[in-house]
Amino acid sequence: MKELVGIAEQVAAKLIARNETIAVAESSAGGLISASLLAVPGASAYYLGGAVVYTRDARRVLMDISDEGMKGFRSSSEPYARLLAEQMRSRFGTVWGLSETGAAGPTGNRYGDAAGHSCMAVAGGASEVITLETGSNDRLANMQAFAGTALKLLLKNLEG
């Protein structure tokens, strides 16, 4: 967790200096992205909210994305990660939206993705979507890798 908080401190410094805000949607990271951002003192200046969108019901209730709205999308994909990041940004009125969706393990998901697969997206002043494949079935290590990679993606876009 210390490594994640270290990255979050860099993110926080940039967001605070620019008076910008963020909202986070995460799935397989299980709240680690939000927890890392919230572990930094002063988080209320930049962190407006987050959601662990782990199930279909969570997607419908927390993100207001209906089954009809998912036509052409599948979970654990780059287009879906982009949709989540944009939806968080829009719903919270933040400058930035960050999302993560994947398969932590020890097995893959029902969409055919192996354990260690995750897609992350940043929407805001800059937008980027990436896919991470850890090649590991270690659930906790994957959750930490997903959170760290998402935070680094955000930091890169804040610096860009």
Side-chain angles (χ1 to χ4, degrees):
M1 186 75 181
K2 277 190 173 189
E3 178 190 340
L4 295 177
V5 174
I7 303 163
E9 287 171 341
Q10 295 173 63
V11 166
K14 296 235 180 273
L15 290 171
I16 290 168
R18 294 157 60 157
N19 197 30
E20 295 179 344
T21 53
I22 187 162
V24 178
E26 52 194 303
S27 174
S28 298
L32 289 175
I33 298 167
S34 291
S36 300
L37 290 167
L38 289 169
V40 179
S44 59
Y46 61 86
Y47 183 90
L48 295 194
V52 177
V53 186
Y54 197 70
T55 63
R56 181 175 158 204
D57 286 342
R59 173 187 39 84
R60 288 194 309 248
V61 173
L62 299 173
M63 302 302 296
D64 195 31
I65 301 172
S66 66
D67 292 341
E68 182 66 29
M70 282 296 289
K71 294 276 192 236
F73 291 96
R74 78 165 181 82
S75 295
S76 304
S77 69
E78 289 190 0
Y80 181 62
R82 178 179 287 115
L83 175 65
L84 289 178
E86 290 171 352
Q87 188 77 344
M88 288 306 279
R89 184 174 178 238
S90 171
R91 290 175 66 84
F92 280 87
T94 57
V95 176
W96 297 94
L98 178 64
S99 72
E100 175 279 328
T101 177
T107 61
N109 62 26
R110 62 183 174 164
Y111 310 105
D113 301 307
H117 166 89
S118 181
C119 297
M120 295 129 200
V122 172
S127 295
E128 186 174 358
V129 184
I130 63 168
T131 298
L132 172 67
E133 302 285 353
T134 67
S136 170
N137 64 357
D138 182 325
R139 186 175 184 84
L140 182 56
N142 283 333
M143 291 172 72
Q144 291 174 329
F146 298 168
T149 302
L151 287 166
K152 288 175 188 170
L153 177 66
L154 175 60
L155 183 60
K156 174 186 161 201
N157 281 271
L158 286 167
E159 291 172 339

